[in-house]
Amino acid sequence: MLRTIQKGFTLIELMIVIAIIGILAAIAIPQYKKFISQAQVTEAMSLVNGSLSAVSSSYSTDTTCPNNTTATSGLSASTDISGKYVLSVLANGTGSIIPVATGASTTTGCVVTATFRSAVTSPVVADLRGKKIGFELIQTLGSYRLACRKTGSTALPIVTATSDVPAELLPATCE
């Protein structure tokens, strides 16, 4: 009597493989989306930090914040500071807030806001479309930096810079 050799997989083996793939996908896809979102937030941070020099120079010279609705004070127009995901970077130009000192840091009232593109056809992830990240110019021991604050945080006396980007997507440098 000849024995037949079994070829292929049993149904239970195929079901186990499909279950494993499903579990891996359930973990990997949300993580992938989060990494993509964080990369897009990084572009906003990079563009804002590129304007730090002009904003801090203007403030240190005459304690006024530049307003870049049009090109001014060495700072390009807000719509000219853009990227693949970021629509514009706007410096508010008000500087009307009285500086608040906390330890070695002083707020200036200068706010720089990065706005993400909002069109559905843009490559921006849905969680960031049309959202804004606000940064305030902070003076610490004679040097300047742009600081952002996560919603609800009281780590810094930032009173004007607001962000509506989900806190888990903001970088660790945001306080």
Side-chain angles (χ1 to χ4, degrees):
M1 198 143 72
L2 294 172
R3 291 178 85 181
T4 59
I5 299 174
Q6 179 182 2
K7 294 184 180 180
F9 299 102
T10 64
L11 181 60
I12 192 72
E13 290 170 332
L14 290 174
M15 299 278 290
I16 290 171
V17 169
I18 289 172
I20 291 171
I21 291 171
I23 291 169
L24 291 175
I27 295 169
I29 290 172
Q31 287 298 317
Y32 175 74
K33 286 182 180 180
K34 183 178 177 184
F35 289 137
I36 295 296
S37 299
Q38 288 173 339
Q40 292 176 4
V41 168
T42 300
E43 181 191 70
M45 300 281 292
S46 175
L47 290 170
V48 166
N49 282 328
S51 64
L52 173 61
S53 175
V55 172
S56 62
S57 174
S58 176
Y59 185 80
S60 65
T61 302
D62 56 5
T63 63
T64 60
C65 301
N67 184 336
N68 72 333
T69 51
T70 59
T72 182
S73 304
L75 188 59
S76 299
S78 63
T79 53
D80 291 339
I81 306 173
S82 63
K84 184 175 181 180
Y85 311 111
V86 176
L87 178 65
S88 66
V89 175
L90 175 68
N92 72 349
T94 60
S96 60
I97 293 177
I98 298 169
V100 178
T102 302
S105 297
T106 303
T107 64
T108 63
C110 291
V111 175
V112 179
T113 305
T115 304
F116 288 95
R117 296 182 185 278
S118 59
V120 176
T121 57
S122 71
V124 178
V125 296
D127 290 347
L128 294 177
R129 286 191 189 129
K131 301 280 174 107
K132 297 179 180 186
I133 302 178
F135 299 84
E136 186 166 350
L137 186 66
I138 305 289
Q139 182 180 10
T140 305
L141 302 174
S143 65
Y144 293 93
R145 67 185 172 96
L146 286 165
C148 55
R149 183 173 67 178
K150 293 180 180 175
T151 305
S153 171
T154 56
L156 287 173
I158 300 175
V159 292
T160 55
T162 58
S163 299
D164 55 3
V165 169
E168 66 271 4
L169 298 179
L170 292 172
T173 57
C174 290
E175 299 157 5

